[in-house]
């Protein structure tokens, strides 16, 4: 975790400073610069984006975005840049020209060495408070997939793996097999979309 030197920034200052080539988040006036991704992290994220986006697009469920888009979380001074997130078609009004104004329906974070605390603790609490319906944490260092669903009490509850599959309620019919994520070579995402019924 590296903070921009010099001083804290207001949200307006952050927006003026952060250009398209700068991968950073803003939280309570702190500017958090993201470390460059390694090849393995990038390949895994690319794989996940194709699966989630291919499924959502085929079934016309909504829109999937990657890390370059800022999410302005409601009720808190936060502009986060999730690795992957989904917004249901019925909530497309939160999609603005330069950012997302509100909580996505589903967020996936791929853990890197400098994001462990941020993904498991800070963002877990923020996404829960913001009302994100599902939060999936993919950890390539420990080869784990932890998925949570927002309960009626507005608290995240674990999504249990069933018969080797982790199923989403937000993306009806979509599932991930954790074994797909760690195989070498990784399965073809095109073939997996076929398994998920995308023809």
């Amino acid at each position: 975790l590296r903070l921009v030197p010099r001083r804290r920034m207001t949200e307006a200052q952050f927006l003026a400073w952060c250009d398209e080539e700068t991968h950073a988040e803003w939280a309570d006036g702190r500017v958090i610069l993201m470390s460059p991704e390694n090849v393995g992290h990038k390949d895994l994220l690319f794989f996940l984006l194709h699966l989630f986006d291919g499924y959502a697009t085929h079934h016309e469920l909504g829109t999937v975005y990657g890390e370059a888009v800022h999410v302005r979380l409601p009720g808190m001074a936060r502009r986060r840049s999730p690795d992957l997130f989904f917004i249901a078609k019925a909530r497309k009004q939160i999609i603005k020209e330069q950012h997302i104004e509100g909580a996505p329906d589903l967020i996936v974070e791929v853990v890197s060495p400098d994001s462990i605390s941020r993904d498991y603790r800070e963002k877990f609490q923020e996404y829960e408070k913001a009302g994100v319906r599902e939060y999936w944490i993919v950890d390539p260092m420990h080869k784990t997939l932890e998925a949570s669903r927002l309960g009626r009490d507005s608290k995240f509850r674990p999504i249990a793996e069933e018969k080797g599959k982790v199923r989403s309620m937000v993306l009806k019919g979509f599932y991930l097999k954790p074994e797909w994520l760690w195989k070498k070579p990784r399965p073809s995402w095109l073939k997996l979309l076929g398994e998920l019924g995308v023809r």
Side-chain angles (χ1 to χ4, degrees), residues 47 179-192:
F47 173 78
E179 66 179 35
W180 292 345
L181 306 175
W182 322 125
K183 279 186 176 180
K184 292 184 179 181
R186 197 169 286 124
S188 161
W189 55 265
L190 280 170
K191 289 182 179 179
L192 296 182

Side-chain angles (χ1 to χ4, degrees), residues 105-117:
D105 293 279
L106 183 151
I107 290 178
V108 180
E109 296 284 9
V110 179
V111 180
S112 57
D114 77 324
S115 75
I116 296 171
S117 174

Side-chain angles (χ1 to χ4, degrees), residues 68-133:
V69 180
H70 276 144
V71 172
R72 194 167 187 262
L73 296 173
M76 59 190 91
R78 298 286 191 281
R79 276 183 176 263
R80 291 299 190 183
S81 182
D83 287 322
L84 182 160
F85 60 95
F86 164 77
I87 296 172
K89 184 167 56 176
R91 300 182 63 243
K92 64 182 180 181
Q93 73 276 4
I94 72 171
I95 302 172
K96 308 302 180 183
E97 185 175 349
Q98 300 293 333
H99 70 286
I100 306 302
E101 186 66 41
D105 293 279
L106 183 151
I107 290 178
V108 180
E109 296 284 9
V110 179
V111 180
S112 57
D114 77 324
S115 75
I116 296 171
S117 174
R118 199 162 58 243
D119 292 337
Y120 279 106
R121 289 195 283 274
E122 292 175 39
K123 290 188 175 182
F124 186 96
Q125 294 171 357
E126 290 173 13
Y127 295 162
E128 182 182 72
K129 181 180 177 182
V132 175
R133 293 165 61 197

Side-chain angles (χ1 to χ4, degrees), residues 53-65:
D53 182 58
Y55 189 87
T57 299
H58 178 78
H59 292 287
E60 299 181 351
L61 298 174
T63 309
V64 173
Y65 291 95

Side-chain angles (χ1 to χ4, degrees), residues 133-147:
R133 293 165 61 197
E134 286 185 7
Y135 179 33
W136 297 37
I137 302 174
V138 177
D139 188 338
M141 293 173 289
H142 297 96
K143 295 185 178 180
T144 58
L145 166 61
E146 295 184 17

